[in-house]
Amino acid sequence: MSPPEGQARSIPLPPASILRLVGGPEVRGARPSGAERRRFHRVSLVHGPTVRVEVRRPDGARLHGIVEDCCWSGAAVRFGYATDPKIRVDQAGIVIVTGLRLPELTLKARVATAEPLQSGGTRYGLQFLEEDELHRQVTPEWRRWFSRRRHPRFEPRGELAATLTVTWRGGEARGCVVDVSVSGVGVELDVGSARSVVVAREVGVLLAFPGSGGTMRLRAAVRGAKQGTPSVRVGLEFVRDTMFDTCKQRLESWAERLQLQERAQAQGGPRGSSF
């Protein structure tokens, strides 16, 4: 069945485990947040007991959504038509995360994205606002539901923004850095360049940011590709070679500065109303 007009379509890339194609309406509002861009780095809750999020409205109604994926920075939650709390981007409030035979997690969250579903209802991208509180509540039983990545990712912006060029045999492309960690980087590329990068499987990365001491040359393996509109988001994992060893300390310093920047923004409080 072909997707409706205006919906993202799959790009003709070789069928491989590293490729994840998605479709659906564009997310409402401005450019998707860092939390939403990190969706394919999260743990997808496909098998096992259902994990739910409860939103309590001011009138006392309790509405439940199903968690589709989650990490330490946030979660994607699907609410059906009858249970949609109709919360808006930038609203913040308390959510209750529940799972079978697991203690409840009571967390403060902000709505980062709101994506209408064809079947009715909405998929919300929630950003957890108090990281220390989340780590305090998460028990060993809960940890498997959260991030599988070795290092947290952050969105480089403002004075800590980066420039990046991806190179492969016979070509190169300028990319937009959407998230970064000590072990890798998420980058947006045009469809043609993304196709070449996925086929190459391993690429060169020219990366520069404040404190990098000039352009760093690294190698990276392609770990994921997710189509958006109009670009494709590609996940790259740095190859642990001598070039990486030379740059590692600068990458770690940059990640620490990005983490401080993210925490400072979260402590500034939500910009919208509460739910």
Side-chain angles (χ1 to χ4, degrees):
M1 182 174 64
S2 60
E5 184 178 356
Q7 180 172 320
R9 297 174 181 271
S10 61
I11 54 179
L13 296 173
S17 60
I18 59 174
L19 183 63
R20 179 180 178 186
L21 300 177
V22 299
E26 289 188 62
V27 176
R28 293 200 300 263
R31 183 183 183 85
S33 70
E36 175 66 14
R37 295 190 192 108
R38 286 194 293 269
R39 177 178 291 181
F40 67 98
H41 296 291
R42 299 178 178 188
V43 174
S44 297
L45 278 62
V46 178
H47 305 290
T50 301
V51 176
R52 301 180 185 274
V53 163
E54 176 183 300
V55 172
R56 299 179 181 179
R57 294 193 311 204
D59 61 7
R62 299 185 178 187
L63 304 173
H64 295 87
I66 297 176
V67 177
E68 295 185 340
D69 55 60
C70 62
C71 68
W72 292 107
S73 62
V77 186
R78 184 181 76 252
F79 286 86
Y81 177 80
T83 60
D84 192 344
K86 304 294 184 182
I87 46 183
R88 302 184 305 275
V89 171
D90 278 343
Q91 281 190 282
I94 301 298
V95 298
I96 312 291
V97 185
T98 62
L100 182 65
R101 294 189 296 274
L102 293 171
E104 291 186 350
L105 305 178
T106 302
L107 305 169
K108 188 174 183 180
R110 180 181 73 88
V111 181
T113 60
E115 177 185 357
L117 301 173
Q118 291 181 350
S119 58
T122 306
R123 177 185 292 108
Y124 295 99
L126 300 180
Q127 176 191 6
F128 299 138
L129 296 178
E130 297 178 354
E131 182 180 349
D132 291 342
E133 178 62 21
L134 174 59
H135 280 270
R136 187 186 69 80
Q137 293 187 51
V138 170
T139 62
E141 295 79 12
W142 264 116
R143 287 186 180 274
R144 69 189 182 96
W145 298 111
F146 286 84
S147 182
R148 64 189 171 195
R149 48 194 155 134
R150 293 186 297 272
H151 304 100
R153 289 181 177 261
F154 306 101
E155 178 186 0
R157 56 186 181 275
E159 70 276 9
L160 296 179
T163 60
L164 180 143
T165 299
V166 181
T167 65
W168 59 92
R169 184 184 296 273
E172 66 175 43
R174 185 74 173 267
C176 176
V177 179
V178 294
D179 56 42
V180 67
S181 76
V182 175
S183 60
V185 62
V187 57
E188 287 184 347
L189 297 168
D190 64 86
V191 174
S193 297
R195 181 184 297 113
S196 298
V197 166
V198 170
V199 171
R201 299 295 181 101
E202 187 171 298
V203 296
V205 174
L206 305 178
L207 177 64
F209 52 84
S212 63
T215 301
M216 300 191 303
R217 295 179 178 271
L218 298 157
R219 298 295 299 173
V222 181
R223 295 304 186 200
K226 179 180 177 183
Q227 183 182 350
T229 305
S231 60
V232 178
R233 299 198 295 274
V234 179
L236 302 175
E237 181 180 0
F238 298 135
V239 175
R240 302 301 182 96
D241 55 14
T242 55
M243 291 187 293
F244 175 82
D245 291 340
T246 301
C247 301
K248 183 178 178 181
Q249 187 173 356
R250 283 172 285 171
L251 289 168
E252 290 174 339
S253 176
W254 186 35
E256 289 175 2
R257 294 163 65 194
L258 290 170
Q259 184 177 33
L260 291 174
Q261 182 187 65
E262 187 172 284
R263 286 182 175 178
Q265 183 185 36
Q267 289 172 0
R271 294 168 291 173
S273 58
S274 61
F275 51 83

